Amino acid sequence: MTAAPDSPAAGRAKLADVAKLAGVSVGTASKALNGNGRMRPETRQRVLAAVEQLDFRPNQHAQSLHTGRSWTVGLMTTDGIGRFSTPVLLGAEDALGAGKISVLLCDTRGDAIREQHHLRNLMDRRVDGIIVTGRRTDPRPPLKGIEPIPTVYALSPSTDPDDISVVSDDLSGAQLAVEHLLATGRTRIAHVTGPAHHAAAQDRARHTVELLEHSSLELATGRVHFGEWSEAWGRRAAEAVLRIAPDTDAFFCGNDQIARGVADTLRESGLDVPGKIAIVGYDNWDIMALACRPPLTTIDTNLSEIGRQAALRLLDAIGAQPEPGRHTVPCRLVVRESS
Amino acid sequence: MTAAPDSPAAGRAKLADVAKLAGVSVGTASKALNGNGRMRPETRQRVLAAVEQLDFRPNQHAQSLHTGRSWTVGLMTTDGIGRFSTPVLLGAEDALGAGKISVLLCDTRGDAIREQHHLRNLMDRRVDGIIVTGRRTDPRPPLKGIEPIPTVYALSPSTDPDDISVVSDDLSGAQLAVEHLLATGRTRIAHVTGPAHHAAAQDRARHTVELLEHSSLELATGRVHFGEWSEAWGRRAAEAVLRIAPDTDAFFCGNDQIARGVADTLRESGLDVPGKIAIVGYDNWDIMALACRPPLTTIDTNLSEIGRQAALRLLDAIGAQPEPGRHTVPCRLVVRESS
DNA sequence: TTCCGGCAGAAAAACGTTTTCCCAAGTGAG
DNA sequence: CTCACTTGGGAAAACGTTTTTCTGCCGGAA
């Protein structure tokens, strides 16, 4: 039982088949498809009809071999695909998919050997570009040995200012939080956040202090409480803050987990949130923010927008219009019941 | 200022360059590289040395064009890249990366149009295979129109039993939980889980009931408590259970969020966990399980192992050794302080 | 010496496009 | 009626491999 001559099982149609059916040469068929060259409209129609009839789809390997473009970009993530890189990744995939570009996923697990390995692989595949995303906002050293391949760093900027980076605007985040608290009448604000050696913690803390100074205020406890990005730390820190400054009327927390820890301690201490004390988190991690009692007011970092912009800037760079430097994406305030 | 003849900037070396440097023909150089054909060891060495010197790397597009293999598999995820698909995806990427195969990421966002679009794209790229992963364990209809491309369904099995599926073994999960509770002396066990229309909830509940019957026991409240996969539901359900059956001595929950909700209610009711009541969750979602007070004993579904196995079975299928059917991956009990 | 077999390596075909170059026929002007 | 141009379309080169086929050459046996 052999397949009928024009059955799909007879193997993918190639351009030569299309040409034969349309009664033209391969070259002409190609031109008809791509709109190049000049020919009678009627001829073009014949080719297009043949394409339709045979369900022809060009072989991308042949195309890529000839043009040198693979219509593929590599997406390197250095920390598994965590809570942070995932939205970035999806944003990028979305923006690229619209342009017929596919995403090759590479996870380095934070391992330099693996990173180098993936890099070779991407270069062997002649990817058109690379997006690098990391776990946190701390700057990272640029990829080495990718001379001619356009690259964009998302979330974690490159340490080289001549590279293209797209990052979250921590200043706008701190600003939204502080201004929101001030606008709702809070003046004795405590700041509890992650490890001091994380850029995210450090930057947000600095901005917070400066913004308060701008309004002639200072932190309720006189200092920033650095710790971990965990609920447990939030709980401990809340106790400490209340001991040092019982009149605190707001907590601005470095992330939603800390905020939730704070909320738990306050609730269990019988302190009304938001009646007596307001809480603002950071990240808008829905699972955390919504499960919190009460649901958290928080700062959304627009991660998928960061991914989208990284993709668009990569497209620009591939098109030879790179805009080097560090580009920021503003945050968004999400008001819920904790403030 | 032109680049030195053998500088990397002089453009990628091609096999012809290698051949010229080694003083052989391209064909011979190719054979030397791939270990095919016969030749004097010395000749092979000369070629290899040239490869080294020029840092030659074969053009994958040319290879693929000729061999018809792309050394690429598509990974279709139907629900963004959520908490469930991510580990599966990483497991698969890991297993495939070892075999020099790269992963093309496609997110359908649950949209059929988008799914079809990605499918065309994958076929145009002549991927060697496809892995499909979904949000939950509910079966899904098979991909349409991929006749000749090997496909494996991970996490969400295909409704067609002749397809290859790799899923989590809900029976083993329920078994580990129930046997652990029985072994630690609990006999009045309540089961709180997600929506009744989710296969995961339904299956685990059924197995739980059957396992208890096996030990001549029944559920503390006489029935399964279906609801949502949320902490809020866990909190409400715990109250209900305690009202109906105050002598309940253990909660087996359908996921870690529910378990955490239960834990919160119990703690706030002054009931000692695990002294008076034990709690077992499901999923081993570290963020939830560890932040819970006390840290949760829970069932780990080995998601990354599911991804790994899906990849291996896909490799088999690509190698023309498919093993159709539904393959299960057993769960693992993680004991912490809640039991 | 002649033949045959085996071996090293060269030459060429093939994979499926795109693009450049070229030719033939038609059109208009002088 | 020719000449120069334009226009439609064909032929062929190119992309960089792999694989198959082919050609000398050498050694050994008759």
PDB file of all heavy atoms in Angstrom, chain B residues 204-235:
ATOM      1  N   ARG B 204      -6.659  11.138  44.406  1.00  0.00           N
ATOM      2  CA  ARG B 204      -6.034  11.011  45.726  1.00  0.00           C
ATOM      3  C   ARG B 204      -7.085  10.701  46.778  1.00  0.00           C
ATOM      4  O   ARG B 204      -6.861   9.911  47.700  1.00  0.00           O
ATOM      5  CB  ARG B 204      -5.292  12.298  46.088  1.00  0.00           C
ATOM      6  CG  ARG B 204      -4.088  12.528  45.199  1.00  0.00           C
ATOM      7  CD  ARG B 204      -3.473  13.901  45.416  1.00  0.00           C
ATOM      8  NE  ARG B 204      -2.614  14.243  44.288  1.00  0.00           N
ATOM      9  CZ  ARG B 204      -2.159  15.469  44.035  1.00  0.00           C
ATOM     10  NH1 ARG B 204      -2.482  16.477  44.849  1.00  0.00           N
ATOM     11  NH2 ARG B 204      -1.382  15.705  43.003  1.00  0.00           N
ATOM     12  N   ALA B 205      -8.229  11.320  46.641  1.00  0.00           N
ATOM     13  CA  ALA B 205      -9.305  11.075  47.608  1.00  0.00           C
ATOM     14  C   ALA B 205      -9.743   9.614  47.549  1.00  0.00           C
ATOM     15  O   ALA B 205      -9.871   8.933  48.567  1.00  0.00           O
ATOM     16  CB  ALA B 205     -10.486  11.997  47.311  1.00  0.00           C
ATOM     17  N   ARG B 206      -9.959   9.125  46.339  1.00  0.00           N
ATOM     18  CA  ARG B 206     -10.407   7.748  46.177  1.00  0.00           C
ATOM     19  C   ARG B 206      -9.382   6.779  46.791  1.00  0.00           C
ATOM     20  O   ARG B 206      -9.732   5.893  47.563  1.00  0.00           O
ATOM     21  CB  ARG B 206     -10.601   7.445  44.691  1.00  0.00           C
ATOM     22  CG  ARG B 206     -11.087   6.048  44.392  1.00  0.00           C
ATOM     23  CD  ARG B 206     -11.593   5.943  42.956  1.00  0.00           C
ATOM     24  NE  ARG B 206     -10.757   6.683  41.997  1.00  0.00           N
ATOM     25  CZ  ARG B 206      -9.600   6.225  41.506  1.00  0.00           C
ATOM     26  NH1 ARG B 206      -9.148   5.055  41.868  1.00  0.00           N
ATOM     27  NH2 ARG B 206      -8.915   6.962  40.647  1.00  0.00           N
ATOM     28  N   HIS B 207      -8.133   6.980  46.462  1.00  0.00           N
ATOM     29  CA  HIS B 207      -7.090   6.099  46.998  1.00  0.00           C
ATOM     30  C   HIS B 207      -7.054   6.170  48.518  1.00  0.00           C
ATOM     31  O   HIS B 207      -6.902   5.158  49.192  1.00  0.00           O
ATOM     32  CB  HIS B 207      -5.724   6.477  46.435  1.00  0.00           C
ATOM     33  CG  HIS B 207      -5.594   6.175  44.977  1.00  0.00           C
ATOM     34  ND1 HIS B 207      -4.975   7.030  44.093  1.00  0.00           N
ATOM     35  CD2 HIS B 207      -5.986   5.111  44.247  1.00  0.00           C
ATOM     36  CE1 HIS B 207      -5.007   6.502  42.876  1.00  0.00           C
ATOM     37  NE2 HIS B 207      -5.625   5.351  42.953  1.00  0.00           N
ATOM     38  N   THR B 208      -7.206   7.364  49.050  1.00  0.00           N
ATOM     39  CA  THR B 208      -7.159   7.520  50.502  1.00  0.00           C
ATOM     40  C   THR B 208      -8.263   6.699  51.165  1.00  0.00           C
ATOM     41  O   THR B 208      -8.029   5.945  52.109  1.00  0.00           O
ATOM     42  CB  THR B 208      -7.321   9.003  50.876  1.00  0.00           C
ATOM     43  OG1 THR B 208      -6.264   9.742  50.269  1.00  0.00           O
ATOM     44  CG2 THR B 208      -7.267   9.186  52.375  1.00  0.00           C
ATOM     45  N   VAL B 209      -9.467   6.856  50.617  1.00  0.00           N
ATOM     46  CA  VAL B 209     -10.592   6.108  51.181  1.00  0.00           C
ATOM     47  C   VAL B 209     -10.332   4.609  51.105  1.00  0.00           C
ATOM     48  O   VAL B 209     -10.498   3.874  52.079  1.00  0.00           O
ATOM     49  CB  VAL B 209     -11.895   6.459  50.432  1.00  0.00           C
ATOM     50  CG1 VAL B 209     -13.019   5.523  50.847  1.00  0.00           C
ATOM     51  CG2 VAL B 209     -12.266   7.912  50.699  1.00  0.00           C
ATOM     52  N   GLU B 210      -9.875   4.150  49.970  1.00  0.00           N
ATOM     53  CA  GLU B 210      -9.641   2.713  49.790  1.00  0.00           C
ATOM     54  C   GLU B 210      -8.557   2.205  50.727  1.00  0.00           C
ATOM     55  O   GLU B 210      -8.660   1.108  51.280  1.00  0.00           O
ATOM     56  CB  GLU B 210      -9.253   2.429  48.334  1.00  0.00           C
ATOM     57  CG  GLU B 210     -10.441   2.598  47.380  1.00  0.00           C
ATOM     58  CD  GLU B 210     -10.043   2.473  45.919  1.00  0.00           C
ATOM     59  OE1 GLU B 210      -8.860   2.203  45.653  1.00  0.00           O
ATOM     60  OE2 GLU B 210     -10.930   2.656  45.054  1.00  0.00           O
ATOM     61  N   LEU B 211      -7.516   2.993  50.895  1.00  0.00           N
ATOM     62  CA  LEU B 211      -6.428   2.556  51.770  1.00  0.00           C
ATOM     63  C   LEU B 211      -6.904   2.460  53.215  1.00  0.00           C
ATOM     64  O   LEU B 211      -6.516   1.549  53.956  1.00  0.00           O
ATOM     65  CB  LEU B 211      -5.252   3.528  51.669  1.00  0.00           C
ATOM     66  CG  LEU B 211      -4.462   3.411  50.356  1.00  0.00           C
ATOM     67  CD1 LEU B 211      -3.636   4.661  50.112  1.00  0.00           C
ATOM     68  CD2 LEU B 211      -3.588   2.169  50.402  1.00  0.00           C
ATOM     69  N   LEU B 212      -7.744   3.405  53.611  1.00  0.00           N
ATOM     70  CA  LEU B 212      -8.271   3.353  54.976  1.00  0.00           C
ATOM     71  C   LEU B 212      -9.156   2.129  55.146  1.00  0.00           C
ATOM     72  O   LEU B 212      -9.054   1.408  56.148  1.00  0.00           O
ATOM     73  CB  LEU B 212      -9.043   4.630  55.293  1.00  0.00           C
ATOM     74  CG  LEU B 212      -8.178   5.877  55.509  1.00  0.00           C
ATOM     75  CD1 LEU B 212      -9.036   7.115  55.738  1.00  0.00           C
ATOM     76  CD2 LEU B 212      -7.227   5.676  56.682  1.00  0.00           C
ATOM     77  N   GLU B 213     -10.000   1.903  54.161  1.00  0.00           N
ATOM     78  CA  GLU B 213     -10.876   0.727  54.232  1.00  0.00           C
ATOM     79  C   GLU B 213     -10.050  -0.536  54.406  1.00  0.00           C
ATOM     80  O   GLU B 213     -10.412  -1.448  55.143  1.00  0.00           O
ATOM     81  CB  GLU B 213     -11.692   0.602  52.937  1.00  0.00           C
ATOM     82  CG  GLU B 213     -12.949   1.447  52.929  1.00  0.00           C
ATOM     83  CD  GLU B 213     -13.646   1.420  51.578  1.00  0.00           C
ATOM     84  OE1 GLU B 213     -13.159   0.710  50.680  1.00  0.00           O
ATOM     85  OE2 GLU B 213     -14.668   2.121  51.428  1.00  0.00           O
ATOM     86  N   HIS B 214      -8.958  -0.560  53.716  1.00  0.00           N
ATOM     87  CA  HIS B 214      -8.042  -1.689  53.778  1.00  0.00           C
ATOM     88  C   HIS B 214      -7.616  -1.967  55.209  1.00  0.00           C
ATOM     89  O   HIS B 214      -7.312  -3.092  55.588  1.00  0.00           O
ATOM     90  CB  HIS B 214      -6.824  -1.381  52.922  1.00  0.00           C
ATOM     91  CG  HIS B 214      -6.227  -2.593  52.307  1.00  0.00           C
ATOM     92  ND1 HIS B 214      -5.112  -3.224  52.817  1.00  0.00           N
ATOM     93  CD2 HIS B 214      -6.596  -3.316  51.230  1.00  0.00           C
ATOM     94  CE1 HIS B 214      -4.814  -4.278  52.064  1.00  0.00           C
ATOM     95  NE2 HIS B 214      -5.703  -4.364  51.096  1.00  0.00           N
ATOM     96  N   SER B 215      -7.565  -0.914  56.027  1.00  0.00           N
ATOM     97  CA  SER B 215      -7.220  -1.084  57.432  1.00  0.00           C
ATOM     98  C   SER B 215      -8.469  -0.998  58.301  1.00  0.00           C
ATOM     99  O   SER B 215      -8.393  -0.697  59.490  1.00  0.00           O
ATOM    100  CB  SER B 215      -6.238   0.003  57.870  1.00  0.00           C
ATOM    101  OG  SER B 215      -5.047  -0.096  57.153  1.00  0.00           O
ATOM    102  N   SER B 216      -9.597  -1.242  57.678  1.00  0.00           N
ATOM    103  CA  SER B 216     -10.878  -1.193  58.384  1.00  0.00           C
ATOM    104  C   SER B 216     -11.129   0.145  59.066  1.00  0.00           C
ATOM    105  O   SER B 216     -11.649   0.206  60.186  1.00  0.00           O
ATOM    106  CB  SER B 216     -10.940  -2.302  59.441  1.00  0.00           C
ATOM    107  OG  SER B 216     -10.577  -3.532  58.897  1.00  0.00           O
ATOM    108  N   LEU B 217     -10.700   1.213  58.403  1.00  0.00           N
ATOM    109  CA  LEU B 217     -10.944   2.545  58.970  1.00  0.00           C
ATOM    110  C   LEU B 217     -11.767   3.353  57.971  1.00  0.00           C
ATOM    111  O   LEU B 217     -11.882   2.980  56.809  1.00  0.00           O
ATOM    112  CB  LEU B 217      -9.615   3.272  59.218  1.00  0.00           C
ATOM    113  CG  LEU B 217      -8.738   2.736  60.339  1.00  0.00           C
ATOM    114  CD1 LEU B 217      -7.388   3.430  60.323  1.00  0.00           C
ATOM    115  CD2 LEU B 217      -9.435   2.947  61.689  1.00  0.00           C
ATOM    116  N   GLU B 218     -12.300   4.432  58.474  1.00  0.00           N
ATOM    117  CA  GLU B 218     -12.905   5.367  57.526  1.00  0.00           C
ATOM    118  C   GLU B 218     -12.524   6.792  57.898  1.00  0.00           C
ATOM    119  O   GLU B 218     -11.926   7.044  58.944  1.00  0.00           O
ATOM    120  CB  GLU B 218     -14.425   5.192  57.490  1.00  0.00           C
ATOM    121  CG  GLU B 218     -15.104   5.386  58.826  1.00  0.00           C
ATOM    122  CD  GLU B 218     -16.623   5.183  58.694  1.00  0.00           C
ATOM    123  OE1 GLU B 218     -17.067   4.643  57.645  1.00  0.00           O
ATOM    124  OE2 GLU B 218     -17.338   5.574  59.625  1.00  0.00           O
ATOM    125  N   LEU B 219     -12.832   7.716  57.000  1.00  0.00           N
ATOM    126  CA  LEU B 219     -12.464   9.102  57.234  1.00  0.00           C
ATOM    127  C   LEU B 219     -13.132   9.639  58.499  1.00  0.00           C
ATOM    128  O   LEU B 219     -14.277   9.290  58.806  1.00  0.00           O
ATOM    129  CB  LEU B 219     -12.880   9.955  56.033  1.00  0.00           C
ATOM    130  CG  LEU B 219     -12.019   9.753  54.778  1.00  0.00           C
ATOM    131  CD1 LEU B 219     -12.655  10.440  53.576  1.00  0.00           C
ATOM    132  CD2 LEU B 219     -10.613  10.300  55.023  1.00  0.00           C
ATOM    133  N   ALA B 220     -12.399  10.497  59.198  1.00  0.00           N
ATOM    134  CA  ALA B 220     -12.876  11.019  60.469  1.00  0.00           C
ATOM    135  C   ALA B 220     -14.246  11.674  60.335  1.00  0.00           C
ATOM    136  O   ALA B 220     -15.122  11.513  61.191  1.00  0.00           O
ATOM    137  CB  ALA B 220     -11.866  12.004  61.048  1.00  0.00           C
ATOM    138  N   THR B 221     -14.428  12.401  59.255  1.00  0.00           N
ATOM    139  CA  THR B 221     -15.703  13.104  59.087  1.00  0.00           C
ATOM    140  C   THR B 221     -16.673  12.315  58.203  1.00  0.00           C
ATOM    141  O   THR B 221     -17.725  12.816  57.824  1.00  0.00           O
ATOM    142  CB  THR B 221     -15.493  14.491  58.449  1.00  0.00           C
ATOM    143  OG1 THR B 221     -14.837  14.302  57.194  1.00  0.00           O
ATOM    144  CG2 THR B 221     -14.670  15.375  59.341  1.00  0.00           C
ATOM    145  N   GLY B 222     -16.259  11.129  57.843  1.00  0.00           N
ATOM    146  CA  GLY B 222     -17.130  10.301  57.027  1.00  0.00           C
ATOM    147  C   GLY B 222     -17.150  10.666  55.561  1.00  0.00           C
ATOM    148  O   GLY B 222     -17.759   9.981  54.737  1.00  0.00           O
ATOM    149  N   ARG B 223     -16.456  11.749  55.179  1.00  0.00           N
ATOM    150  CA  ARG B 223     -16.453  12.142  53.775  1.00  0.00           C
ATOM    151  C   ARG B 223     -15.211  12.971  53.440  1.00  0.00           C
ATOM    152  O   ARG B 223     -14.510  13.456  54.332  1.00  0.00           O
ATOM    153  CB  ARG B 223     -17.702  12.965  53.452  1.00  0.00           C
ATOM    154  CG  ARG B 223     -17.740  14.293  54.197  1.00  0.00           C
ATOM    155  CD  ARG B 223     -18.996  15.076  53.852  1.00  0.00           C
ATOM    156  NE  ARG B 223     -19.017  16.371  54.484  1.00  0.00           N
ATOM    157  CZ  ARG B 223     -18.496  17.461  53.938  1.00  0.00           C
ATOM    158  NH1 ARG B 223     -17.878  17.389  52.780  1.00  0.00           N
ATOM    159  NH2 ARG B 223     -18.553  18.620  54.576  1.00  0.00           N
ATOM    160  N   VAL B 224     -14.989  13.111  52.165  1.00  0.00           N
ATOM    161  CA  VAL B 224     -13.881  13.946  51.687  1.00  0.00           C
ATOM    162  C   VAL B 224     -14.346  15.394  51.605  1.00  0.00           C
ATOM    163  O   VAL B 224     -15.488  15.662  51.224  1.00  0.00           O
ATOM    164  CB  VAL B 224     -13.442  13.478  50.287  1.00  0.00           C
ATOM    165  CG1 VAL B 224     -12.412  14.437  49.700  1.00  0.00           C
ATOM    166  CG2 VAL B 224     -12.894  12.059  50.346  1.00  0.00           C
ATOM    167  N   HIS B 225     -13.457  16.311  51.978  1.00  0.00           N
ATOM    168  CA  HIS B 225     -13.818  17.720  51.872  1.00  0.00           C
ATOM    169  C   HIS B 225     -13.188  18.336  50.630  1.00  0.00           C
ATOM    170  O   HIS B 225     -12.000  18.660  50.633  1.00  0.00           O
ATOM    171  CB  HIS B 225     -13.366  18.468  53.136  1.00  0.00           C
ATOM    172  CG  HIS B 225     -14.063  17.986  54.370  1.00  0.00           C
ATOM    173  ND1 HIS B 225     -15.085  18.668  54.960  1.00  0.00           N
ATOM    174  CD2 HIS B 225     -13.912  16.850  55.093  1.00  0.00           C
ATOM    175  CE1 HIS B 225     -15.527  17.987  56.001  1.00  0.00           C
ATOM    176  NE2 HIS B 225     -14.824  16.877  56.119  1.00  0.00           N
ATOM    177  N   PHE B 226     -13.982  18.419  49.584  1.00  0.00           N
ATOM    178  CA  PHE B 226     -13.511  19.065  48.351  1.00  0.00           C
ATOM    179  C   PHE B 226     -13.714  20.566  48.453  1.00  0.00           C
ATOM    180  O   PHE B 226     -14.681  21.016  49.073  1.00  0.00           O
ATOM    181  CB  PHE B 226     -14.293  18.532  47.146  1.00  0.00           C
ATOM    182  CG  PHE B 226     -13.975  17.095  46.806  1.00  0.00           C
ATOM    183  CD1 PHE B 226     -14.875  16.075  47.110  1.00  0.00           C
ATOM    184  CD2 PHE B 226     -12.773  16.771  46.182  1.00  0.00           C
ATOM    185  CE1 PHE B 226     -14.586  14.757  46.786  1.00  0.00           C
ATOM    186  CE2 PHE B 226     -12.490  15.444  45.851  1.00  0.00           C
ATOM    187  CZ  PHE B 226     -13.389  14.437  46.158  1.00  0.00           C
ATOM    188  N   GLY B 227     -12.803  21.325  47.836  1.00  0.00           N
ATOM    189  CA  GLY B 227     -12.958  22.785  47.879  1.00  0.00           C
ATOM    190  C   GLY B 227     -12.059  23.434  46.860  1.00  0.00           C
ATOM    191  O   GLY B 227     -12.197  23.214  45.674  1.00  0.00           O
ATOM    192  N   GLU B 228     -11.098  24.229  47.329  1.00  0.00           N
ATOM    193  CA  GLU B 228     -10.131  24.858  46.420  1.00  0.00           C
ATOM    194  C   GLU B 228      -8.723  24.498  46.871  1.00  0.00           C
ATOM    195  O   GLU B 228      -8.524  23.998  47.961  1.00  0.00           O
ATOM    196  CB  GLU B 228     -10.274  26.377  46.449  1.00  0.00           C
ATOM    197  CG  GLU B 228     -11.659  26.894  46.179  1.00  0.00           C
ATOM    198  CD  GLU B 228     -11.829  28.272  46.790  1.00  0.00           C
ATOM    199  OE1 GLU B 228     -10.791  28.942  47.002  1.00  0.00           O
ATOM    200  OE2 GLU B 228     -12.977  28.652  47.087  1.00  0.00           O
ATOM    201  N   TRP B 229      -7.778  24.841  45.977  1.00  0.00           N
ATOM    202  CA  TRP B 229      -6.377  24.559  46.319  1.00  0.00           C
ATOM    203  C   TRP B 229      -5.762  25.721  47.107  1.00  0.00           C
ATOM    204  O   TRP B 229      -4.619  26.078  46.897  1.00  0.00           O
ATOM    205  CB  TRP B 229      -5.550  24.345  45.053  1.00  0.00           C
ATOM    206  CG  TRP B 229      -5.976  23.197  44.191  1.00  0.00           C
ATOM    207  CD1 TRP B 229      -6.522  23.280  42.949  1.00  0.00           C
ATOM    208  CD2 TRP B 229      -5.848  21.804  44.468  1.00  0.00           C
ATOM    209  NE1 TRP B 229      -6.739  22.014  42.451  1.00  0.00           N
ATOM    210  CE2 TRP B 229      -6.345  21.090  43.352  1.00  0.00           C
ATOM    211  CE3 TRP B 229      -5.378  21.076  45.559  1.00  0.00           C
ATOM    212  CZ2 TRP B 229      -6.376  19.694  43.289  1.00  0.00           C
ATOM    213  CZ3 TRP B 229      -5.405  19.692  45.503  1.00  0.00           C
ATOM    214  CH2 TRP B 229      -5.902  19.014  44.377  1.00  0.00           C
ATOM    215  N   SER B 230      -6.502  26.311  48.021  1.00  0.00           N
ATOM    216  CA  SER B 230      -5.990  27.536  48.653  1.00  0.00           C
ATOM    217  C   SER B 230      -5.876  27.437  50.170  1.00  0.00           C
ATOM    218  O   SER B 230      -6.508  26.603  50.805  1.00  0.00           O
ATOM    219  CB  SER B 230      -6.920  28.702  48.324  1.00  0.00           C
ATOM    220  OG  SER B 230      -8.149  28.515  49.022  1.00  0.00           O
ATOM    221  N   GLU B 231      -5.090  28.306  50.729  1.00  0.00           N
ATOM    222  CA  GLU B 231      -4.955  28.364  52.180  1.00  0.00           C
ATOM    223  C   GLU B 231      -6.290  28.713  52.838  1.00  0.00           C
ATOM    224  O   GLU B 231      -6.641  28.168  53.881  1.00  0.00           O
ATOM    225  CB  GLU B 231      -3.910  29.409  52.572  1.00  0.00           C
ATOM    226  CG  GLU B 231      -2.505  29.031  52.158  1.00  0.00           C
ATOM    227  CD  GLU B 231      -1.482  30.042  52.670  1.00  0.00           C
ATOM    228  OE1 GLU B 231      -1.532  30.396  53.865  1.00  0.00           O
ATOM    229  OE2 GLU B 231      -0.639  30.475  51.872  1.00  0.00           O
ATOM    230  N   ALA B 232      -6.977  29.625  52.195  1.00  0.00           N
ATOM    231  CA  ALA B 232      -8.245  30.069  52.781  1.00  0.00           C
ATOM    232  C   ALA B 232      -9.195  28.871  52.943  1.00  0.00           C
ATOM    233  O   ALA B 232      -9.839  28.707  53.981  1.00  0.00           O
ATOM    234  CB  ALA B 232      -8.885  31.139  51.905  1.00  0.00           C
ATOM    235  N   TRP B 233      -9.235  28.039  51.906  1.00  0.00           N
ATOM    236  CA  TRP B 233     -10.084  26.846  51.999  1.00  0.00           C
ATOM    237  C   TRP B 233      -9.575  25.923  53.104  1.00  0.00           C
ATOM    238  O   TRP B 233     -10.363  25.342  53.864  1.00  0.00           O
ATOM    239  CB  TRP B 233     -10.134  26.119  50.664  1.00  0.00           C
ATOM    240  CG  TRP B 233     -10.622  24.704  50.760  1.00  0.00           C
ATOM    241  CD1 TRP B 233      -9.941  23.584  50.431  1.00  0.00           C
ATOM    242  CD2 TRP B 233     -11.906  24.268  51.222  1.00  0.00           C
ATOM    243  NE1 TRP B 233     -10.697  22.461  50.653  1.00  0.00           N
ATOM    244  CE2 TRP B 233     -11.913  22.852  51.139  1.00  0.00           C
ATOM    245  CE3 TRP B 233     -13.047  24.938  51.714  1.00  0.00           C
ATOM    246  CZ2 TRP B 233     -13.010  22.083  51.516  1.00  0.00           C
ATOM    247  CZ3 TRP B 233     -14.145  24.163  52.103  1.00  0.00           C
ATOM    248  CH2 TRP B 233     -14.119  22.752  51.994  1.00  0.00           C
ATOM    249  N   GLY B 234      -8.276  25.803  53.219  1.00  0.00           N
ATOM    250  CA  GLY B 234      -7.705  24.964  54.287  1.00  0.00           C
ATOM    251  C   GLY B 234      -8.152  25.452  55.656  1.00  0.00           C
ATOM    252  O   GLY B 234      -8.532  24.654  56.520  1.00  0.00           O
ATOM    253  N   ARG B 235      -8.144  26.760  55.823  1.00  0.00           N
ATOM    254  CA  ARG B 235      -8.547  27.307  57.117  1.00  0.00           C
ATOM    255  C   ARG B 235     -10.023  27.034  57.385  1.00  0.00           C
ATOM    256  O   ARG B 235     -10.398  26.560  58.459  1.00  0.00           O
ATOM    257  CB  ARG B 235      -8.284  28.825  57.156  1.00  0.00           C
ATOM    258  CG  ARG B 235      -6.807  29.193  57.100  1.00  0.00           C
ATOM    259  CD  ARG B 235      -6.570  30.652  57.483  1.00  0.00           C
ATOM    260  NE  ARG B 235      -7.122  31.589  56.524  1.00  0.00           N
ATOM    261  CZ  ARG B 235      -6.403  32.170  55.545  1.00  0.00           C
ATOM    262  NH1 ARG B 235      -5.110  31.898  55.424  1.00  0.00           N
ATOM    263  NH2 ARG B 235      -6.968  33.026  54.732  1.00  0.00           N
TER     264      ARG B 235
END
